[in-house]
Amino acid sequence: MAPELIKKEKYDKSIDIWALGILLYEMLHGRSPFAPEENSLNKKMSIHNKRAVIQNNILYKKLTFKNGLSEDCLDLLQKLLESNSEKRIKIDEILKHPFLRPPLVPRKMKSSNLISAKNLPGLNSLSVLPVTTIHRSNSKKKIFLDI
């Protein structure tokens, strides 16, 4: 539930951006960002009390993030979960955010690691893909398709 709903303020489509932030947080952390801490006292809490704690956390709790998130990921999460709906990131900014952009650094490969797509048996069944080269990694036994 977005902060503006808890405060019974007017809201717009930015609540969907808040919801996207909640989903991304849960996918990356494996838990809800505002759920009460798991302990024996909270397990005995009524649904009404848990809801009140969650709403209080949404309004006042400082978010914590696990170690290992990239700077871009952390930046996007913080902008999605901005409590002030007017300062929250807009959809066009989300689509341009570096976290959602593919890296533009080309992969360096030795020419000895490259094999022509036409030299692979059975590739005709994949002919709908515009494959230009296939990278063979001897150390991990993986094949990468560059399309």
Side-chain angles (χ1 to χ4, degrees):
M1 181 180 288
E4 53 269 34
L5 291 175
I6 296 169
K7 296 178 196 175
K8 298 184 178 172
E9 297 175 346
K10 284 189 170 187
Y11 61 90
D12 57 18
K13 56 189 167 192
S14 71
I15 62 169
D16 294 330
I17 292 172
W18 173 270
L20 177 63
I22 297 293
L23 289 172
L24 182 59
Y25 187 99
E26 288 179 354
M27 287 189 290
L28 293 168
H29 292 81
R31 62 179 175 82
S32 173
F34 300 106
E37 298 297 322
E38 287 295 321
N39 60 41
S40 58
L41 180 64
N42 289 342
K43 288 180 181 178
K44 297 175 184 176
M45 229 187 250
S46 72
I47 297 291
H48 178 71
N49 287 342
K50 282 184 183 178
R51 182 180 174 124
V53 169
I54 291 169
Q55 289 178 348
N56 187 63
N57 287 348
I58 290 169
L59 293 176
Y60 304 110
K61 181 182 173 188
K62 182 175 173 25
L63 277 175
T64 57
F65 301 95
K66 71 178 185 177
N67 293 332
L69 297 179
S70 70
E71 288 180 31
D72 289 338
C73 178
L74 188 58
D75 180 64
L76 180 60
L77 269 173
Q78 290 171 330
K79 289 177 177 177
L80 291 167
L81 294 173
E82 168 61 52
S83 59
N84 183 336
S85 63
E86 293 177 8
K87 293 181 182 177
R88 199 171 296 145
I89 192 170
K90 308 294 183 241
I91 190 68
D92 58 322
E93 296 168 322
I94 294 170
L95 297 173
K96 294 176 186 173
H97 195 277
F99 181 68
L100 300 178
R101 307 302 303 166
L104 299 176
V105 179
R107 193 174 10 177
K108 291 183 180 179
M109 297 293 292
K110 293 180 182 176
S111 60
S112 61
N113 287 344
L114 296 178
I115 56 174
S116 172
K118 63 185 174 189
N119 293 336
L120 286 175
L123 195 61
N124 291 339
S125 63
L126 300 175
S127 60
V128 293
L129 294 175
V131 175
T132 56
T133 57
I134 296 180
H135 304 280
R136 181 176 29 193
S137 171
N138 294 333
S139 61
K140 296 183 182 178
K141 296 185 180 180
K142 292 182 180 177
I143 294 178
F144 302 97
L145 300 176
D146 277 350
I147 51 177

